Amino acid sequence: MFMRNAPIGVMDSGVGGLTVIGEIWRQLPHEEILFYGDSARCPYGDRSTEEIELFTFKALDYLVGQGVKMLVIACNTATAICLELARERYEIPVIGVIAPGARAAIAATSNRKVGIIGTSATICSGSYPKALHATHQGIETFPLACPSFVSLVERSVTPAEALPIIKATLQPIESTHIDTLILGCTHYPLLAKMIQKVVGNDIQLINSAEQTARDVSFWLDEHQLTRIDLHDPFHVFLTSGDPLQFSQIGEQWLCQSIDVSHFDVWRTEFLQSTGDE
Ligand code: DGL
């Protein structure tokens, strides 16, 4: 009973995880969320495997320590590098965003040519082609790293500044004849309108959030973890970055105001040990 009413722990390197939370709220409005966005260390996607593991597990350990009933790694980069290890490390269910995105793309493509855009770490990991081919070996994949996109989102740059960068970065997509493009970074749905404008309406964009939320729903059911508390859910948003900027982006994306607090998982031990807070 206690575990059923515990929150779902969700993490991302920054604001991108909000795109997954929006879908969890839509599909599972009674569930509570404890979210940690590590904007102080964002982007993860340009970092080494060791650093991505270090930062991701520090965040996940914190969420597990808070008693969450399930973990959602709402970050493709962290999913690519850490999902399997996280499933070995924790006793609670751990959901990533790559397999759901791959499944959604397979369902969407007609010509079996699928583009994947993501951070350098996600693209280098080969996780998306692997996930796509695990389900459908006939899919032709066209991966492209877009290292500049995450900071466009985190800095909330204007469309006038973002559009030329998006256009130049996506230029290699033009000759591929893909009909489906996976937004393989949870930050990218926040740029979806501009990405769609650049690639044209014949290419279907895939955001893994919807399918990920379905997986969350399935696992809650499977493990009998669906919340049964009748009180309205209380959500907690924590960021190691600027809470004001985070809440502004969150409100725009979620169309409702959110309370965001500054909290850094790396600072707690220091503050506790000095008694300094
Ligand atoms: N939202 C993360 C992802 O899905 C962002 C990446 C980053 O921090 O570079 O990959």
Side-chain angles (χ1 to χ4, degrees):
M1 176 80 88
F2 172 73
M3 199 60 176
R4 291 191 83 133
N5 292 329
I8 299 171
V10 184
M11 72 80 58
D12 179 38
S13 63
V15 296
L18 292 167
T19 62
V20 178
I21 286 177
E23 268 303 317
I24 295 177
W25 278 2
R26 199 176 66 82
Q27 295 184 34
L28 296 159
H30 301 299
E31 293 298 332
E32 282 189 343
I33 304 284
L34 169 57
F35 177 82
Y36 181 70
D38 197 11
S39 293
R41 285 158 207 92
C42 187
Y44 281 11
D46 300 333
R47 295 182 181 274
S48 66
T49 301
E50 290 74 23
E51 275 185 313
I52 296 167
E53 282 180 9
L54 185 69
F55 296 153
T56 301
F57 283 113
K58 187 79 174 170
L60 296 177
D61 285 351
Y62 168 74
L63 294 172
V64 171
Q66 294 303 300
V68 300
K69 63 183 173 186
M70 171 187 272
L71 286 169
V72 179
I73 306 180
C75 173
N76 290 264
T77 308
T79 299
I81 307 298
C82 304
L83 179 65
E84 293 313 319
L85 292 170
R87 284 184 169 157
E88 287 167 19
R89 187 176 177 114
Y90 306 114
E91 283 173 11
I92 55 174
V94 187
I95 309 285
V97 283
I98 291 181
R103 271 184 266 125
I106 289 169
T109 183
S110 300
N111 71 2
R112 289 174 290 168
K113 293 180 192 291
V114 175
I116 305 137
I117 53 174
T119 66
S120 301
T122 299
I123 297 302
C124 286
S125 75
S127 297
Y128 266 105
K130 202 170 146 200
L132 288 159
H133 293 145
T135 306
H136 192 322
Q137 292 193 343
I139 301 281
E140 205 177 338
T141 59
F142 299 88
L144 177 68
C146 303
S148 55
F149 285 12
V150 167
S151 87
L152 299 178
V153 174
E154 290 283 329
R155 291 187 293 119
S156 300
V157 304
T158 61
E161 191 186 331
L163 204 55
I165 297 169
I166 294 172
K167 204 167 176 179
T169 310
L170 295 183
Q171 210 259 327
I173 297 280
E174 257 175 47
S175 53
T176 59
H177 305 294
I178 58 168
D179 69 354
T180 304
L181 179 62
I182 299 175
L183 304 179
C185 170
T186 52
H187 281 67
Y188 296 178
L190 291 147
L191 302 171
K193 278 192 188 137
M194 285 182 275
I195 293 173
Q196 190 79 71
K197 196 168 175 180
V198 168
V199 299
N201 290 331
D202 290 342
I203 295 181
Q204 189 172 344
L205 302 186
I206 300 296
N207 166 358
S208 60
E210 188 181 335
Q211 190 61 47
T212 301
R214 264 193 227 135
D215 281 16
V216 171
S217 176
F218 173 82
W219 280 103
L220 288 177
D221 211 28
E222 191 75 3
H223 292 259
Q224 298 182 327
L225 285 173
T226 308
R227 184 169 179 262
I228 47 176
D229 190 336
L230 296 176
H231 295 100
D232 284 346
F234 178 74
H235 308 293
V236 176
F237 289 90
L238 305 172
T239 174
S240 56
D242 177 358
L244 184 64
Q245 195 178 10
F246 195 101
S247 63
Q248 283 167 349
I249 297 173
E251 279 166 33
Q252 267 170 22
W253 181 260
L254 300 168
C255 301
Q256 72 179 71
S257 65
I258 54 171
D259 272 336
V260 183
S261 304
H262 176 81
F263 176 77
D264 192 328
V265 288
W266 290 91
R267 292 269 299 157
T268 52
E269 283 141 17
F270 172 70
L271 290 172
Q272 278 162 7
S273 66
T274 59
D276 203 15
E277 187 145 46

